[in-house]
Amino acid sequence: MKLKFIAAALTALIPGMALADWPERPVTIVVPAGAGGGTDATARMLAERLREKFGVPFNVVNQGQGGGVVGINTIKSADPDGYTIGVIYNFAHYAPMGQADFNADDFTAIAQYNFDPAGFNVRADSEWNTIGEALDAIKAAPDAYSIACGGGCGGSWPIATATLMSQWGVDLSQVRIIAGQGAAGALQDMVAGGFDVVPTSVPEAGPLIQAGRIKSLAVFGDARLAAFPDIPTLAEEVGLELSLGAWRGVVGPMGLDQDVAAELEAAIGDIVEDETWQNQMSERGFGIQWRDADGFSEFMKSEEISVREIVSTLGL
Amino acid sequence: MVAFNSLMLLLEPSTMLVIIGCAIYGLVVGAIPGFTATMAVALLVPMTYFLDPVPALAGIVTLAAMAIFAGDIPGALLRMPGTPASAAYADESFQMARRGEAETALGTSLVASALGGIFGALLLIFAAPALAEISLSFSSFEYFWLACLGLVAAIAASNATPAKGAISLFIGLTIGMVGLDPVFGQQRFTFGNVNLVGGLAFIPVLIGLFAVSEAFRFGASPVARPEMLPLKPAAMFKGVFGHIGRLKLPILRGGIIGSVVGAIPGAGADIAAYISYAVARRLSPNKDKFGTGTVDGIVPATAANNAAVGGALIPATVFGIPGDSLTAVIIGVLYMKGLNPGPTVFLMQPTLLYAVFIAFLIANIVLVPFGFGAIVMFRRILSAPPGVVMALVIMACIVGAFAVENTTFAIAVMLGAGLLGYYLEENEFPLAPVILGIVLGPILESTFLASLAKSQGAFTEFFSRPIAGTLGATTIALVIAPLVYVLIKSRRQAT
């Protein structure tokens, strides 16, 4: 009895050893975002399915403090024993902006399950009717327009817009990117005349688009969104094959046991194929994108390089 | 016809059961210090997965209405606001309860809450699009002035000398500065500690300041705890309607202030109550009694915080923009249930939406009997030995702080805030301005810098927009008028 206890204690202490029985107890999914938001919603949908698959609870723990810094740090510094994993999203900007020291190498990639393209929103009465007109105008006078970033200015939507502008040859160092009060706050501020452009996910802007207050000139994805068939893609409008926006995936701390990672990867792969889960996601306006562990790891590394370039040009 | 169909949806037995369950849950959670209405709703969200849209949403709005009132109960009997929305006048009702007038304080508060809530609900039903229109034209310039108004009100609403009120306010502003700054995302006062990057979280600080400090005070001088205040439920409605009749106008004013402030994104029930209290204090014929425990101070503020929930639901449903953190959670449930907020939902699913609105109206009407029950039960819970109660309070505080933030650091923050609150109270510094400083500081900073960035450094923009100009002039007048008054008075005395 005592021996058994010591063995169990040792197993807990030495990562990667004797994890064959994983999971023996509930698994914690750290969500670096507050309860009720988009990242939280997707994580809970995933957690529910993972519980069904493995027969132990997958408990969502929200740590949204400091724009996610606290939660991401919890994932990074967790024991790699498979009992703490996390949902992660665009995080490459934290390090160059001096907010936290996170690198793609700090995490074991498990799988990406979501991607939401950015939308380029302007006021309904804006003089721009196409993304091409908007980009040309901004290129001609980069400091004449104010562009809002919903949350942090290094986050997914402003970086997507900045990447597009840099491809168009806009002088990024002159562009005025201004912090707004969250996506909803920034959109409302734009309606009130405060901003010229507010990039967000299209579903976030949906109610105001339907109300005829704002228009979205382009969606930064491969195809038009089913829920917003009138918004053209960048490829259609300006011939740029770009896929820019927010992504979400599951990771563990560095050094996570390979077998555990593989089991989770396979399980999430099954979930992403599941039709009811897909419906649940699309009902709430979330896009689905699958990348396996290797693809996801590659993606995070390449994004780290490109985002950090943009951040330094913007001077954030 | 739509209204009738909506009512039919609500009268389903299973829906009624869910609503009653949510009402009781809301009253209990709201009455526990440190547990906010937002938290009660957030904890319920996972359960709404299993419910149909009508019971889920009707239950949640019922819960919100109940929880906001229930916060008044511990405010009066323990001087710990159950929710931040009751913080503005917790001291006022506690002073009354200490004089043996707990029945009047709570009875009047209950009826005024219901009236304010009904006002908000009716406004939600009839004037939703028009009011949303107003708050939608607010840019960062207007928010900046609103935050300034709030800061002025924070000092004006406190009972201490303006100097002590201002010091409390600056402590709050300092607490609000810890963490990533809201504009450039740079670390401030974090000392390289990753826990501090997230800042000192609002709920743990609130719990610490208001609840833990009370427990510390009890710990320091256990005998001198007069908190077990007598309450005779039978006498609860005695004289209440006299007060309500006398205070018709302040209640109406509270309802209007509450709905408008609630509809403005970012400002919720707590700020509505503070502003309403400050306005009532200025306009009341009994203004000298404010701070010593008078229903004249409680009634307008408690009407405002219940009206604010209805007000906050207006932009939430019309444009999908939350009026406060509570409605932000409700919007999440709306999406989850396929009722995507936006003007179209009024056209596409009016029956469903109006069922939710009607449920909110009914919740505010039945608030009177339900709230009465909660007051009676609350009394029974707190008849337990104070030492046990305080231990339970501390436990609830620890659980609450951890549940909101999911970090053990939050518990440390809460205990630290408790020490701060204890020290401030012992030295007669008011606590409410601290809270307002924490809430308004980041808003003030980000709207000021964002506004300047937009106008490329031109200060004139703060006045060139009509609403911003009006708000700005009001704020400046509020600051300058008393100074000019004092100056003139001293000149006259000198000559």
Side-chain angles (χ1 to χ4, degrees), chain B residues 306-325:
Chain B
N306 277 71
V309 181
L313 282 170
I314 295 171
T317 48
V318 180
F319 293 104
I321 292 167
D324 56 10
S325 54

Side-chain angles (χ1 to χ4, degrees), chain A residues 95-117:
Chain A
M97 290 177 73
Q99 295 172 349
D101 190 22
F102 302 139
N103 298 299
D105 289 342
D106 295 334
F107 305 99
T108 305
I110 295 172
Q112 180 186 341
Y113 62 92
N114 157 264
F115 171 75
D116 291 314

Side-chain angles (χ1 to χ4, degrees), chain B residues 2 14 21 38 50 84 120 149 158 172 199 213 386 393 440 463 491:
Chain B
V2 171
S14 60
T38 312
F50 309 106
L149 255 179
S158 76
S213 65
V393 164
L440 291 175
F463 295 96
R491 281 255 169 102

Side-chain angles (χ1 to χ4, degrees), chain A residues 234-246:
Chain A
L234 283 178
E236 293 171 46
E237 287 284 302
V238 292
L240 289 174
E241 294 283 349
L242 290 171
S243 191
L244 302 165

Side-chain angles (χ1 to χ4, degrees), chain B residues 171-490:
Chain B
I171 290 173
L173 290 170
T174 310
I175 293 174
M177 282 176 74
V178 177
L180 296 179
D181 89 70
V183 178
F184 303 105
Q186 296 309 305
Q187 297 194 15
R188 232 167 18 193
F189 304 117
T190 59
F191 308 103
N193 184 329
V194 76
N195 283 308
L196 282 169
V197 173
L200 300 170
F202 180 61
I203 303 286
V205 170
L206 180 87
I207 297 173
L209 281 178
F210 284 95
V212 179
S213 65
E214 194 66 39
F216 284 163
R217 199 184 345 275
F218 172 73
S221 48
V223 212
R225 182 169 172 267
E227 270 73 39
M228 295 316 296
L229 302 167
L231 181 86
K232 293 185 285 294
M236 224 173 69
F237 292 101
K238 214 174 117 193
V240 161
F241 292 96
H243 283 302
I244 297 291
R246 179 171 65 83
L247 296 167
K248 277 193 299 280
L249 218 64
I251 291 176
L252 182 66
R253 207 158 47 213
I256 294 170
I257 292 173
S259 316
V260 173
V261 173
I264 294 166
D270 43 350
I271 296 181
Y274 276 113
I275 293 181
S276 183
Y277 181 83
V279 169
R281 191 191 180 117
R282 298 225 161 234
L283 298 180
S284 169
N286 301 325
K287 53 169 85 81
D288 50 317
K289 291 218 186 93
F290 275 61
T292 63
T294 169
V295 285
D296 293 37
I298 301 168
V299 158
T302 194
N305 65 17
N306 277 71
V309 181
L313 282 170
I314 295 171
T317 48
V318 180
F319 293 104
I321 292 167
D324 56 10
S325 54
L326 179 66
T327 42
V329 185
I330 294 179
I331 284 180
V333 182
L334 282 168
Y335 272 114
M336 204 165 72
K337 293 294 164 195
L339 267 167
N340 292 9
T344 49
V345 77
F346 286 84
L347 307 170
M348 313 275 281
Q349 290 160 302
T351 320
L352 248 168
L353 195 68
Y354 280 105
V356 178
F357 287 1
I358 293 171
F360 183 62
L361 179 65
I362 295 173
N364 279 294
I365 297 169
V366 299
L367 178 61
V368 176
F370 271 80
F372 180 68
I375 295 169
V376 175
M377 295 308 291
F378 184 76
R379 182 74 194 129
R380 189 163 296 168
I381 295 164
L382 292 179
S383 312
V388 176
V389 174
M390 281 306 167
L392 285 174
V393 164
I394 292 268
M395 194 180 77
C397 291
I398 291 173
V399 171
F402 186 78
V404 179
E405 295 293 319
N406 276 318
T407 61
T408 41
F409 180 72
I411 299 172
V413 168
M414 179 203 68
L415 294 173
L419 282 176
L420 176 71
Y422 173 71
Y423 179 79
L424 289 177
E425 285 272 85
E426 290 297 294
N427 293 287
E428 287 163 2
F429 286 93
L431 290 182
V434 181
I435 292 297
L436 263 183
I438 301 172
V439 176
L440 291 175
I443 300 177
L444 188 80
E445 180 181 11
S446 56
T447 54
F448 179 69
L449 288 175
S451 301
L452 271 188
K454 283 182 206 164
S455 70
Q456 297 185 300
F459 283 93
T460 47
E461 287 269 316
F462 283 98
F463 295 96
S464 61
R465 297 169 56 96
I467 302 175
T470 315
L471 285 169
T474 314
T475 312
I476 292 171
L478 272 176
V479 177
I480 290 179
L483 295 178
V484 172
Y485 177 75
V486 169
L487 201 73
I488 292 173
K489 218 165 117 182
S490 65

